[in-house]
Amino acid sequence: NAGVTQTPKFQVLKTGQSMTLQCAQDMNHEYMSWYRQDPGMGLRLIHYSVGAGITDQGEVPNGYNVSRSTTEDFPLRLLSAAPSQTSVYFCASSQGQPYNSPLHFGNGTRLTVT
Amino acid sequence: KNQVEQSPQSLIILEGKNCTLQCNYTVSPFSNLRWYKQDTGRGPVSLTIMTFSENTKSNGRYTATLDADTKQSSLHITASQLSDSASYICVVSAVVGSGGGADGLTFGKGTHLIIQP
């Protein structure tokens, strides 16, 4: 199993550009989520999904969209990139609900917005 | 507001030495506590989970403790190795709907551990 795969690993955007961060998992996990990790802060939840066709907002959803058309894929879209979105983004999945199942993380996408 | 505080923020020790990382939390009602290890440039990986009834749990050279009364947990690393250099993140789960993030999780900021040869 590859686990959780994120692409790209690195990305540089100009302010105002849009892009999609890809996330795929091969563990048949129903729950998937996106976090951002910034220096000096804990991981913060952006959006999450409890199954195909179902998504919901996390702690910091503004400026981001998600969709979940299949169990395997959970892309994160930046609509109009801003310097405040410079961060490392992690996709995660879990077999059950994350409060009682371990999260499996991808290796992250490091995004810089200039 | 639910919070998780980790200390120290960073720690440097010599290879072969032991160390202890601390995690204090105010999450309520408490469900469980996990320790994750995050290597540089990688995503976090779960090391161990502590539930309310557990005081101590070992995973190889890693031993986690939990004191639910004082809301404190520690992660003790024995005979450290260079591969232990990483950030260690404490994550506390609340009963869903009662606090923490929408996923019921509150993340600490992590302790950055460096093992020197």
Side-chain angles (χ1 to χ4, degrees):
Chain A
N1 286 348
V4 179
T5 303
Q6 291 185 239
T7 57
K9 292 186 178 181
F10 302 94
Q11 184 69 49
V12 179
L13 291 178
K14 296 184 184 301
T15 298
Q17 288 184 318
S18 63
M19 77 159 296
T20 299
L21 309 185
Q22 301 292 342
C23 175
Q25 53 93 8
D26 62 359
M27 297 173 284
N28 202 34
H29 288 172
E30 290 295 329
Y31 183 90
M32 296 186 73
S33 54
W34 278 99
Y35 294 88
R36 59 178 291 173
Q37 187 175 45
D38 299 294
M41 303 185 72
L43 286 155
R44 291 184 291 170
L45 181 65
I46 303 172
H47 284 285
Y48 65 99
S49 169
V50 297
I54 306 169
T55 64
D56 209 342
Q57 297 181 349
E59 180 185 356
V60 288
N62 293 341
Y64 308 94
N65 274 357
V66 292
S67 60
R68 183 93 180 272
S69 56
T70 67
T71 299
E72 295 78 21
D73 300 300
F74 192 43
L76 179 70
R77 297 184 187 85
L78 279 70
L79 309 174
S80 177
S84 61
Q85 294 179 304
T86 293
S87 186
V88 181
Y89 291 85
F90 287 98
C91 179
S93 71
S94 63
Q95 186 172 20
Q97 292 296 319
Y99 53 85
N100 60 15
S101 300
L103 286 168
H104 298 262
F105 288 88
N107 286 326
T109 294
R110 183 174 294 274
L111 175 68
T112 302
V113 183
T114 61
Chain B
K1 181 181 177 183
N2 290 340
Q3 289 188 317
V4 173
E5 299 289 341
Q6 292 188 243
S7 63
Q9 185 175 359
S10 61
L11 181 62
I12 302 173
I13 63 172
L14 293 175
E15 185 179 12
K17 299 296 185 182
N18 303 336
C19 67
T20 299
L21 314 181
Q22 299 289 345
C23 174
N24 296 340
Y25 62 92
T26 60
V27 175
S28 181
F30 175 84
S31 179
N32 60 67
L33 181 150
R34 286 186 188 274
W35 285 93
Y36 284 83
K37 179 186 179 188
Q38 184 177 19
D39 292 319
T40 300
R42 313 278 289 191
V45 175
S46 177
L47 286 175
T48 187
I49 179 174
M50 304 295 292
T51 58
F52 187 86
S53 60
E54 295 174 310
N55 297 118
T56 303
K57 182 180 287 185
S58 292
N59 177 5
R61 294 180 296 102
Y62 298 100
T63 299
T65 68
L66 175 67
D67 186 334
D69 291 332
T70 62
K71 299 186 178 182
Q72 296 180 325
S73 177
S74 67
L75 181 68
H76 184 76
I77 304 175
T78 303
S80 61
Q81 300 177 358
L82 297 178
S83 59
D84 294 330
S85 294
S87 288
Y88 292 84
I89 301 172
C90 177
V91 184
V92 182
S93 297
V95 175
V96 172
S98 59
D103 53 3
L105 305 179
T106 302
F107 287 81
K109 297 178 182 180
T111 291
H112 186 51
L113 176 63
I114 297 173
I115 311 298
Q116 290 186 336

